[in-house]
Amino acid sequence: MRRPDRRPRLAELRTGRLTERTVDSFTSMFPRAAGVLAPLSSLGARHGIGDLGPEAYRFVDWLEAAGVTWWQMLPVVPVGPGNSPYASSSAFAGEPLYLSLQRLSEDGLLPSSQLSGPRELRAGNVRYHDVRAFKEPRLQRAFEAWQGGAGDRSDYDAFCDRAAAWLDPWCEVAAERAVADGGDGAAASERARFLQFQFDRQWGALRAYAAERGVRLMGDAPIFVGLDSVDVVARPELFRLDEGGAPEVLTGVPPDPMNEDGQLWGHPHYAWDAHRADDYAWWRARMGHQTELFDALRIDHFIGFRNAFEVPADAENARGGAWAETPGEELLDAIGDELGGLPLIAEDLGSVTDEVHALRDAYDLPGMRVLQWGFSPDSFHAPHRVPENAVVYPATHDNDTCVGWWRGLDAGTKKRFRALSGGDGRTVASTMCRLACNSPAHTALLQLQDVLGLGRAARTNTPGTAQGNWVWRLARRDLTAARARRLRDLRDATDRLADR
């Protein structure tokens, strides 16, 4: 049975769990402000990939100097095939590569002599194979030191108790896979537990440091999980699988102008009746865990809270798929009940319908506008059509950089860009950042590459491609005091300068 249209005032249409007070509390968390989108992996740490060490703290200092309120990251869960953070083996665990070896050394778990990495890891794009080859033996050495009694254990038992619902299955699967490879399952289980404890410690320290400096962390929650994820292995009844454990249907999105075959993601769909029978306990736990890490969350593919695209399990592409309804109101009610509000941003992009907009608006969630899509006639994303309750981006991690985007534009779009913005190709990145900050949207999020004015080689991800993504990394010299001052001046001029 379909629920009634929920577009009128939320306080009159709440389902009984979200009170007017919690709604007011949520909306107050988005005063007019600005942020920077930068994956943790993209920081210029010395060991080949951004991590939770000194460069993350330096980046927070730079954001503070620039008057920035939000640091938006991509998912920090274990990266999956193609090094994608959106194809993870867990919706809860942290990626061990993000652990700072220097922090482990300061905690007495790794000798300082182990911190001198190869020169080629110090700069340039992330080379995941080389990073793993360097960091894995050192993480193992830190674990062995821990087993020998080194390090601070004061919070270990509390962490294990608090995280048991997801941590125990994570460690059990690590043990099973180690045994299958001829290894010691018990040691693999304890090592997995140790690494997650260290991730929790290092993350908590960084988040506290950021909070002291007025910088809030924004996360990103993919709506689906991978077939080989611990979530599916531990709770197969929550997913639409056949008797052999294969997906009955696959996830994806339909064809669009950017992808004529659509996108076939290949994740299993949820068995919503099973989630409903369990009062959405897995979703409650998942979102609760994410808000232990972040101050707000972007829900990737928010469309899936209203309907999800189902592709036949044997399909080679997404052209033969169809939309099926999902229980978005029930799910959002359960999450809001668990969290005491909904600190969420709806990624309402793609095949958006009036029903998706109605669901977003019924819960007073900010949606997204992407200015690169705003210069075609009657565009939903046009700068002058951005509403107040929105998060506006010049570009997201799935877009080209603004400099690269400009070079690929046709003459007509360039003409509309000049007419709407007063800018041109020489200043396209700074013009787009200014348009975003000058918009009515309560939050403007600028991709770091656009703040730096970088070209196509710095693109984070190209949807529909499996190679060459998630590798761009910041050059340390680019975080200058002059750039911070210019950003601060822009935020001040557009009333986005945070009170600290």
Side-chain angles (χ1 to χ4, degrees):
M1 175 177 167
R2 289 185 62 86
R3 292 173 180 251
D5 183 2
R6 300 171 60 93
R7 276 171 286 190
R9 192 168 64 92
L10 174 60
E12 298 171 358
L13 289 171
R14 63 187 186 276
T15 61
R17 297 182 185 178
L18 291 179
T19 66
E20 193 163 0
R21 177 174 296 179
T22 59
V23 171
D24 289 343
S25 175
F26 164 61
T27 55
S28 69
M29 75 174 297
F30 285 110
R32 188 169 174 85
V36 170
L37 166 59
L40 181 60
S41 61
S42 69
L43 300 186
R46 65 189 290 195
H47 295 136
I49 190 171
D51 61 33
L52 295 167
E55 287 304 308
Y57 288 77
R58 180 172 177 263
F59 187 58
V60 168
D61 291 342
W62 187 83
L63 294 174
E64 179 189 22
V68 169
T69 300
W70 292 102
W71 175 7
Q72 183 189 346
M73 303 183 195
L74 301 186
V76 295
V77 291
V79 299
N83 302 313
S84 172
Y86 294 92
S88 181
S89 55
S90 173
F92 293 82
E95 170 55 69
L97 290 182
Y98 297 151
L99 286 173
S100 165
L101 298 182
Q102 181 163 327
R103 291 286 179 255
L104 293 176
S105 178
E106 292 168 358
D107 288 342
L109 294 169
L110 196 65
S112 59
S113 60
Q114 292 287 298
L115 301 182
S116 297
R119 181 175 297 275
E120 58 266 23
L121 291 183
R122 298 179 188 174
N125 285 349
V126 181
R127 295 188 289 274
Y128 285 88
H129 179 271
D130 295 338
V131 171
R132 289 189 189 280
F134 176 77
K135 295 192 83 167
E136 287 287 354
R138 287 156 177 80
L139 295 177
Q140 176 65 23
R141 182 159 182 172
F143 169 58
E144 291 169 357
W146 171 264
Q147 285 185 308
D152 182 2
R153 298 169 179 266
S154 59
D155 297 327
Y156 180 71
D157 290 339
F159 165 73
C160 292
D161 289 343
R162 170 167 51 86
W166 66 265
L167 182 63
D168 291 350
W170 173 255
C171 296
E172 289 168 10
V173 170
E176 292 169 0
R177 291 175 178 171
V179 170
D181 292 336
D184 184 338
S189 174
E190 287 307 307
R191 182 180 186 273
R193 196 177 301 273
F194 160 78
L195 292 177
Q196 292 306 311
F197 170 61
Q198 294 300 328
F199 185 93
D200 185 75
R201 279 171 57 88
Q202 292 190 10
W203 185 274
L206 177 63
R207 185 178 182 187
Y209 184 87
E212 290 171 357
R213 284 148 186 81
V215 176
R216 307 174 75 182
L217 304 184
M218 183 182 296
D220 194 304
I223 190 169
F224 296 111
V225 298
L227 177 62
D228 64 346
S229 69
V230 171
D231 309 280
V232 177
V233 172
R235 298 292 305 276
E237 73 279 7
L238 297 179
F239 301 87
R240 291 176 58 186
L241 309 176
D242 63 21
E243 293 181 355
E248 295 178 344
V249 289
L250 301 173
T251 60
V253 290
D256 59 30
M258 297 175 63
N259 297 279
E260 63 179 14
D261 289 332
Q263 295 181 45
L264 183 58
W265 298 333
H267 307 313
H269 278 269
Y270 294 106
W272 289 116
D273 287 344
H275 284 272
R276 182 181 292 112
D278 200 24
D279 197 21
Y280 300 94
W282 182 85
W283 278 97
R284 289 170 176 264
R286 183 187 184 191
M287 294 296 104
H289 176 68
Q290 289 298 311
T291 54
E292 291 177 0
L293 302 177
F294 297 103
D295 299 290
L297 288 171
R298 189 192 82 121
I299 299 296
D300 186 64
H301 197 60
F302 178 77
I303 294 171
F305 277 32
R306 168 53 66 197
N307 46 54
F309 199 65
E310 299 182 355
V311 183
D314 59 352
E316 295 182 357
N317 57 55
R319 284 182 289 182
W323 291 104
E325 189 172 358
T326 54
E329 291 95 341
E330 295 177 19
L331 182 54
L332 288 169
D333 284 344
I335 295 170
D337 180 49
E338 185 70 22
L339 304 182
L342 288 172
L344 309 178
I345 294 162
E347 192 248 352
D348 52 347
L349 308 176
S351 302
V352 181
T353 64
D354 289 343
E355 290 78 13
V356 173
H357 289 159
L359 180 65
R360 178 202 64 202
D361 293 345
Y363 288 86
D364 206 25
L365 302 180
M368 288 175 53
R369 300 294 175 95
V370 181
L371 295 184
Q372 282 190 7
W373 301 336
F375 300 98
S376 56
D378 302 317
S379 173
F380 172 79
H381 299 273
H384 55 282
R385 290 183 173 160
V386 174
E388 182 178 358
N389 190 25
V391 179
V392 63
Y393 297 75
T396 76
H397 65 276
D398 284 332
N399 293 90
D400 203 341
T401 67
C402 286
V403 170
W405 165 77
W406 173 265
R407 291 174 179 167
L409 288 183
D410 60 84
T413 305
K414 287 183 175 180
K415 181 179 180 180
R416 283 188 290 272
F417 173 82
R418 293 187 183 99
L420 279 171
S421 70
D424 57 28
R426 294 171 300 172
T427 61
V428 61
S430 59
T431 297
M432 291 284 270
C433 290
R434 186 174 67 252
L435 283 174
C437 287
N438 201 40
S439 76
H442 56 56
T443 305
L445 282 170
L446 314 179
Q447 189 175 212
L448 181 57
Q449 295 96 311
D450 295 323
V451 173
L452 302 178
L454 300 180
R456 182 163 292 165
R459 181 169 183 163
T460 298
N461 177 54
T462 302
T465 64
Q467 303 296 325
N469 299 313
W470 323 109
V471 297
W472 174 75
R473 202 152 63 108
L474 171 73
R476 193 177 191 273
R477 63 180 180 273
D478 286 337
L479 291 183
T480 64
R483 278 199 169 100
R485 285 194 298 272
R486 286 196 294 271
L487 274 178
R488 190 178 187 91
D489 290 345
L490 176 60
R491 280 147 179 74
D492 190 17
T494 56
D495 296 327
R496 295 185 184 275
L497 193 61
D499 294 328
R500 286 181 158 81

